Amino acid sequence: MREKECNEKEIGISIIVPVYNVEKYLAICIRSLLAQSYKNIEIILVDDGSTDTSGAICDKFAAQSSKIQVIHKKNGGLSSARNAGLAMAGGRYIGFVDSDDYVLPTMYEKLMDAVQKYQAQIVSCKYFSFKEESTPQICIKNHQKESIGVKICSKQQTLKAFFLHGISESVWDKLYQSELLEDYRFAEGEINEDTTVIFSLLKKSSKTVIVDQKLYGYRTRQGSITKSGYSDKFKVVETHLNEIKQVVMKDYPKLLPYFKHFSSIHYYCLLTSILHETYPRQYLKDYKKYRKKFRCIFTYFFKWEKRSVKEYLLGLFLINPTSEIYIKRKR
């Protein structure tokens, strides 16, 4: 991160937005940031080698607002783009926004209010989802009326909330004191990178606050990374889980049951992603390994969160040996 200017000119929040081939949604995202009620912000748009008009859209908005800075770089992936943004960021606090998402007008004001009131290093809010082709306007009207609850968390409470999804695994619904990220960079070339990043930062944070209001709009769309099918790159998810487990066992043994719940959901997702592949047989070895792990912690899958009947039945199917026969026979 760049050297801070003198206090009276210091930027309150740097918002880093990785941009790659999102010409259809980018303007909506940028306008939501420019409309923030908290005004002391800089918006860093990182064009990660887009091949559509996304780069030109970034430049157009930068020409219209002094709050916007643009980086054009060779494509390196989401983590690479975030790292490039961090190198330029000059704010006392850092936020991340995905370029196809939407931020409610009061999000950063409310997060900054919590930061200042409670002297927090991380403030997390909730998010709402809206579908690919829809606009978030209806959701905005609904969530702006919500009352705000605030929870100040100890280290144990923070990590427990993370394992029980009271704090999301995503970087974009949070505000971070810049010192937390001073020597931190995202691992490039990996998927599921947010999980280990958030765990590490929450563990490092001296005080974390949860603002119990949906302020961030997450657009669900088929072309996004999180909607892609299973491939060998997903093996790193288990690596991340094992890394977190070692820390929990060493430093927070009382949180192990909550971590098992957390892990069970990840193994469930890995198994279902293979199950829904057109040719899942090629991943049979991975499937067997994940199924064994899931079976051992299956009771934790339902322990603290309600599941639909469909999820309950699918979970039972996944721990049954017949699911492997299904994988072998599916063409």
Side-chain angles (χ1 to χ4, degrees):
M1 285 172 273
R2 71 172 185 265
E3 187 176 341
K4 302 285 193 299
E5 300 175 14
C6 56
N7 288 338
E8 62 269 21
K9 295 183 180 179
E10 193 174 42
I11 298 163
I13 302 174
S14 296
I15 304 171
I16 298 169
V17 187
V19 176
Y20 181 71
N21 290 355
V22 284
E23 60 184 5
K24 192 174 180 180
Y25 313 109
L26 182 57
I28 295 173
C29 175
I30 296 173
R31 289 191 187 106
S32 77
L33 296 175
L34 291 172
Q36 288 299 296
S37 55
Y38 183 85
K39 300 301 182 184
N40 187 13
I41 63 173
E42 68 171 354
I43 302 165
I44 303 173
L45 304 176
V46 185
D47 172 27
D48 190 39
S50 297
T51 57
D52 63 2
T53 62
S54 294
I57 294 171
C58 291
D59 291 335
K60 179 183 176 182
F61 275 95
Q64 297 170 357
S65 174
S66 59
K67 293 181 182 294
I68 296 178
Q69 306 209 36
V70 180
I71 301 171
H72 295 285
K73 62 181 287 295
K74 183 180 178 181
N75 180 254
L78 182 61
S79 292
S80 174
R82 286 173 175 166
N83 289 338
L86 280 171
M88 178 178 277
R92 298 192 308 274
Y93 294 87
I94 306 293
F96 298 92
V97 171
D98 282 359
S99 53
D100 51 354
D101 290 343
Y102 187 95
V103 179
L104 263 61
T106 57
M107 172 172 164
Y108 286 108
E109 179 184 4
K110 290 178 178 178
L111 295 187
M112 187 58 89
D113 283 348
V115 161
Q116 294 172 342
K117 184 175 181 179
Y118 302 106
Q119 300 300 302
Q121 286 194 297
I122 297 177
V123 179
S124 177
C125 66
K126 306 297 183 179
Y127 69 92
F128 59 89
S129 299
F130 60 100
K131 293 182 180 180
E132 178 174 5
E133 298 302 328
S134 65
T135 61
Q137 299 305 319
I138 295 176
C139 294
I140 291 170
K141 291 179 181 178
N142 291 337
H143 298 303
Q144 279 182 326
K145 298 175 182 178
E146 291 179 336
S147 59
I148 307 174
V150 176
K151 183 177 182 180
I152 307 163
C153 300
S154 67
K155 189 65 62 70
Q156 294 266 348
Q157 290 171 329
T158 296
L159 296 178
K160 178 180 175 181
F162 175 68
F163 291 144
L164 297 182
H165 299 99
I167 299 175
S168 81
E169 296 176 56
S170 301
V171 299
W172 34 249
D173 54 358
K174 301 171 181 67
L175 196 59
Y176 312 85
Q177 190 180 66
S178 59
E179 283 77 4
L180 278 178
L181 293 160
E182 192 70 46
D183 300 314
Y184 199 93
R185 291 298 180 266
F186 292 86
E188 299 184 17
E190 290 186 358
I191 64 159
N192 191 236
E193 68 280 3
D194 282 13
T195 299
T196 51
V197 168
I198 295 302
F199 176 77
S200 298
L201 293 177
L202 291 174
K203 186 167 66 73
K204 187 178 179 183
S205 173
S206 61
K207 185 180 288 185
T208 300
V209 171
I210 302 172
V211 175
D212 192 19
Q213 187 176 18
K214 295 176 181 176
L215 300 171
Y216 187 98
Y218 170 69
R219 188 188 299 270
T220 58
R221 60 191 184 94
Q222 290 301 315
S224 64
I225 294 173
T226 54
K227 294 293 183 180
S228 59
Y230 186 85
S231 66
D232 286 338
K233 64 184 179 182
F234 279 78
K235 292 178 180 180
V236 76
V237 173
E238 186 173 45
T239 301
H240 292 163
L241 289 175
N242 288 334
E243 290 170 355
I244 294 172
K245 182 180 179 180
Q246 294 306 311
V247 175
V248 172
M249 291 179 67
K250 179 177 181 292
D251 299 328
Y252 310 100
K254 290 183 179 179
L255 296 180
L256 191 56
Y258 304 104
F259 170 75
K260 289 180 179 180
H261 170 78
F262 179 81
S263 296
S264 72
I265 294 169
H266 281 269
Y267 281 116
Y268 173 86
C269 292
L270 288 168
L271 287 166
T272 54
S273 65
I274 294 176
L275 194 67
H276 294 136
E277 276 288 316
T278 306
Y279 303 106
R281 189 172 182 175
Q282 61 184 312
Y283 302 116
L284 181 60
K285 184 177 179 180
D286 290 347
Y287 187 87
K288 287 181 177 180
K289 181 172 64 171
Y290 300 150
R291 194 182 74 81
K292 183 178 180 181
K293 296 288 184 66
F294 183 58
R295 186 178 59 199
C296 291
I297 53 177
F298 179 67
T299 55
Y300 292 95
F301 182 61
F302 302 98
K303 194 159 187 176
W304 288 285
E305 292 182 68
K306 292 182 179 179
R307 298 287 165 198
S308 67
V309 174
K310 181 180 178 181
E311 288 175 316
Y312 178 79
L313 293 175
L314 182 54
L316 289 173
F317 174 73
L318 292 172
I319 64 171
N320 194 299
T322 57
S323 66
E324 289 184 15
I325 298 173
Y326 174 81
I327 294 291
K328 290 176 182 178
R329 292 181 176 178
K330 187 177 179 183
R331 298 293 183 182

